[in-house]
Amino acid sequence: MVGSGITGGWAAKELTEKGLETLVLEAGGPVDPAKDYVEHVAPWEVKFRGMGDIRKLHSDQFVQRECYACDEWASKFFVNDRENPYTTDANKPFLWIRGRQVGGRSIIWGRQSYRWSDLDFEANVREGIAVDWPIRYRDIAPWYDYVEEFIGVTGQAEGLPQLPDGKFLPAMEMTCAEEVVKDAIAKNFAGDRMMTIGRAAVLTQRHNGRAPCHYCGPCHRGCSTRSYFSSLNATLPAAQKTGKLTLRPHSVVHSLIFDPNSRKVTGVHVIDGQTRKTIEFHGKVMFLCASAMESARILLNSSSTEFPSGLANSSGQVGRNLMDHVMGGGAKGEIPGHEDRTQEGRRPNGIYVPRFQNVKRKHADFLRGYGFQGGGARKDWQRGMETPGFGVEFKKLLKAQGPWKFNFYGFGECLPNAANFVEIDRGRTDAWGVPTLKVHCAFGENERAILKDMSLTAAEMLNAAGARDIETFMEDNAPGLTIHEMGTARMGRDPKTSVLNAHNQAHDVKNLFVTDGACMTSSACVNPSLTYMALTARACDYAVGLLKRGEL
């Protein structure tokens, strides 16, 4: 298995618990939570007082620093861009945010966990775009249940067909400003829009041996209490308990070994990340869980006489249809009143407004839709250092909080498009000698129309809530920055137009499974990680069944 992140951890857990000796290859190094988790380290305890080493960021992490989480505490969980290069078209930037360590990006993910519905699974075939998903909600619903019951997802059941309810732990509380906005939306947009608390893989009560969240806030720096889900916190320890897991860090995968006689993957070419020596490992079944673009890179680098354009690529779709959610449209404003109310702790979650466009009525300007994350908080100080004064009353004035502010921040669907793709850059290699990727990706007119509508509807809801000083915004974020890249080895019904079948199994190579973001046939508008996990657990169950029946 390649990768130890969100999907790699799940594959490790499922395969080992089903009795298989499992080798997990991770390109990066190990993580020691006792040393590397630094969520409680104060700014005055780090060298640059939380401002970061600007020279080093510009030199070594000039792409990664675009992510808010790549700060002085957590930059170690992001790759060195000089060691991990890639290229893009001059007028089409793509921000590839990566984490190479045991646990992958599951250490730094945003933890928002939402189910897809048949509005999503049927969208392509309904609109004649790309190819049809080979599954529907009924196929994956039991696996959503299975995954949620293990990882622990806090949330509120709402009964929405476009956002199915899950197996929820008790919901986190809203702030008073959020309650005001929620009530205003219910009153003014009844039956159309609504607001709920975010659905997050963060515990609100003790669950599967992990402690509840204590609201310290900076989750991207790690979690010593294991209160949020990550492969390092939950699935990898579960796999290790079986005694059937071998986890090998510093294992950079170059390519897969294909046997034309058996038409199976028989092994993997690995470059030791420390010694730079080439090693081979062999096995009966291979799971690629390296992330959408890394898995595509491995397949494209695994060319042979039978697959000259990359392993499992008879369809020509490996690397094609790269997607990332369009984000950054919305509005913010001030919610008057409630000056007697303050917040306690730093809730690791926000609000969510589920998709409402193109649900009941067709929008004239774009297909698909978007949802809003965000929230209401009172955290700005009322006075600055220039404020005159002296003594006790002056100190009280400096500590007085400002007004309640509210922010709607939109995340929208990206349509699958064969013109958005990755290919191998034969003239460039990374620090381990592996040919790198050239990325061709840009948002289209549909994504830009979605971004514009986000700002309009966000302002409408704030206005209905009586907000003051409403400001709309439309950020110009490059693809990649949402860190929801997907679609480079899509699932489908026809081997001529897709790479994987309904069980994430390669059409061309029966013992090869790809369960990370590469498998996605469309992108929906919700955070995709919960779907990756459910698909992985489902694929593992299918693969083990084939092995037991002697069909692999």
Side-chain angles (χ1 to χ4, degrees):
M1 179 195 313
V2 182
S4 64
I6 287 265
T7 56
W10 263 99
K13 172 186 176 297
E14 294 303 297
L15 295 176
T16 56
E17 289 182 345
K18 294 178 187 298
L20 273 64
E21 295 288 342
T22 303
L23 170 65
V24 175
L25 300 170
E26 168 55 52
V31 173
D32 178 2
K35 179 182 68 175
D36 296 323
Y37 282 1
V38 289
E39 73 272 30
H40 294 138
V41 175
W44 55 85
E45 296 180 81
V46 291
K47 182 176 181 179
F48 296 95
R49 303 299 186 260
M51 301 301 292
D53 186 339
I54 302 302
R55 290 183 179 177
K56 187 174 181 180
L57 284 171
H58 280 266
S59 170
D60 297 346
Q61 295 183 302
F62 42 87
V63 175
Q64 307 309 306
R65 68 186 178 91
E66 297 295 330
C67 176
Y68 78 94
C70 187
D71 59 20
E72 187 169 353
W73 293 266
S75 60
K76 62 193 171 193
F77 296 137
F78 294 80
V79 301
N80 182 310
D81 290 312
R82 288 189 297 102
E83 295 179 343
N84 296 272
Y86 66 99
T87 53
T88 64
D89 296 329
N91 60 340
K92 294 181 181 180
F94 187 95
L95 299 174
W96 191 4
I97 309 299
R98 289 176 278 179
R100 277 190 164 187
Q101 60 270 325
V102 173
R105 290 184 302 192
S106 74
I107 297 174
I108 53 176
W109 73 306
R111 306 165 303 284
Q112 293 293 292
S113 301
Y114 302 97
R115 296 188 178 200
W116 283 34
S117 73
D118 279 335
L119 183 68
D120 305 306
F121 288 115
E122 296 175 356
N124 280 359
V125 69
R126 184 173 58 246
E127 297 163 355
I129 293 175
V131 299
D132 186 18
W133 275 89
I135 62 172
R136 294 294 185 263
Y137 180 69
R138 65 179 177 273
D139 298 309
I140 194 174
W143 296 100
Y144 279 136
D145 289 352
Y146 180 72
V147 165
E148 289 167 344
E149 286 171 348
F150 179 79
I151 69 175
V153 177
T154 175
Q156 175 70 45
E158 301 290 0
L160 298 176
Q162 73 270 33
L163 192 73
D165 294 325
K167 300 285 187 177
F168 296 135
L169 299 179
M172 295 183 180
E173 293 184 21
M174 288 188 181
T175 66
C176 57
E178 291 165 350
E179 292 285 357
V180 168
V181 177
K182 176 186 175 182
D183 292 345
I185 293 173
K187 178 180 178 181
N188 292 277
F189 302 95
D192 183 23
R193 309 177 198 178
M194 64 88 60
M195 192 175 99
T196 186
I197 190 67
R199 298 174 178 179
V202 183
L203 304 184
T204 50
Q205 62 185 30
R206 191 164 187 82
H207 183 75
N208 288 338
R210 294 159 48 216
C213 175
H214 56 282
Y215 285 30
C216 70
C219 302
H220 61 281
R221 301 174 192 168
C223 184
S224 300
T225 56
R226 301 193 299 146
S227 302
Y228 75 72
F229 171 78
S230 72
S231 61
L232 197 64
N233 289 350
T235 45
L236 289 176
Q240 287 167 337
K241 286 181 182 179
T242 67
K244 294 184 177 296
L245 174 68
T246 300
L247 175 61
R248 192 181 195 279
H250 300 298
S251 301
V252 180
V253 173
H254 179 284
S255 53
L256 306 183
I257 303 168
F258 176 73
D259 176 17
N261 295 318
S262 64
R263 296 192 60 78
K264 293 180 181 179
V265 171
T266 58
V268 56
H269 293 293
V270 170
I271 299 165
D272 187 285
Q274 296 175 304
T275 67
R276 301 300 198 267
K277 292 182 179 179
T278 301
I279 318 166
E280 287 186 9
F281 295 98
H282 298 272
K284 291 183 178 180
V285 63
M286 172 65 66
F287 270 74
L288 273 186
C289 302
S291 82
M293 291 167 64
E294 284 288 5
S295 287
R297 179 190 183 193
I298 291 168
L299 291 174
L300 292 171
N301 274 325
S302 304
S303 57
S304 63
T305 302
E306 185 155 357
F307 292 105
S309 61
L311 183 63
N313 196 22
S314 65
S315 65
Q317 292 299 316
V318 173
R320 295 278 168 180
N321 309 294
L322 176 62
M323 299 171 282
D324 184 38
H325 288 142
V326 59
M327 72 172 185
K332 56 187 178 180
E334 177 183 320
I335 306 299
H338 305 286
E339 287 84 2
D340 60 329
R341 307 287 294 277
T342 58
Q343 295 170 265
E344 294 293 333
R346 290 179 285 183
R347 185 189 65 195
N349 192 11
I351 58 87
Y352 192 67
V353 176
R355 174 179 165 181
F356 54 87
Q357 299 289 36
N358 290 313
V359 175
K360 296 179 179 179
R361 296 175 298 278
K362 184 177 180 180
H363 197 284
D365 298 332
F366 58 87
L367 301 171
R368 314 287 168 98
Y370 55 88
F372 285 111
Q373 297 178 32
R378 188 186 184 193
K379 55 187 178 183
D380 295 328
W381 300 123
Q382 197 164 4
R383 297 289 185 270
M385 292 188 66
E386 71 281 359
T387 303
F390 184 79
V392 175
E393 293 304 317
F394 175 62
K395 292 179 182 179
K396 290 181 179 178
L397 180 64
L398 288 179
K399 292 192 293 183
Q401 289 186 319
W404 288 92
K405 301 290 184 67
F406 195 97
N407 179 62
F408 280 122
Y409 194 88
F411 292 82
E413 183 159 359
C414 175
L415 297 178
N417 182 350
N420 288 336
F421 68 99
V422 299
E423 62 179 336
I424 296 300
D425 188 344
R426 297 295 175 187
R428 195 173 192 186
T429 59
D430 64 18
W432 299 271
V434 182
T436 62
L437 288 181
K438 187 170 185 179
V439 184
H440 310 268
C441 187
F443 290 129
E445 290 301 320
N446 200 75
E447 288 79 33
R448 285 188 283 271
I450 283 177
L451 195 67
K452 179 179 179 181
D453 200 65
M454 290 174 182
S455 65
L456 298 176
T457 59
E460 288 174 349
M461 290 184 286
L462 285 177
N463 184 64
R468 298 189 296 226
D469 300 327
I470 297 173
E471 299 179 27
T472 62
F473 53 85
M474 284 179 57
E475 297 174 356
D476 185 21
N477 293 312
L481 189 58
T482 311
I483 325 179
H484 294 167
E485 67 273 13
M486 56 188 115
T488 55
R490 69 187 179 191
M491 298 168 70
R493 303 177 188 276
D494 187 349
K496 294 180 181 179
T497 59
S498 60
V499 181
L500 310 172
N501 67 13
H503 293 279
N504 297 79
Q505 179 186 31
H507 292 300
D508 297 335
V509 185
K510 299 305 181 183
N511 69 334
L512 172 62
F513 293 80
V514 184
T515 67
D516 55 28
C519 76
M520 305 295 274
T521 311
S522 63
S523 72
C525 69
V526 298
N527 303 56
S529 294
L530 183 68
T531 299
Y532 300 166
M533 291 187 265
L535 288 172
T536 301
R538 180 173 179 267
C540 288
D541 185 69
Y542 180 74
V544 172
L546 293 178
L547 283 169
K548 289 182 176 179
R549 295 192 298 272
E551 298 176 22
L552 274 187

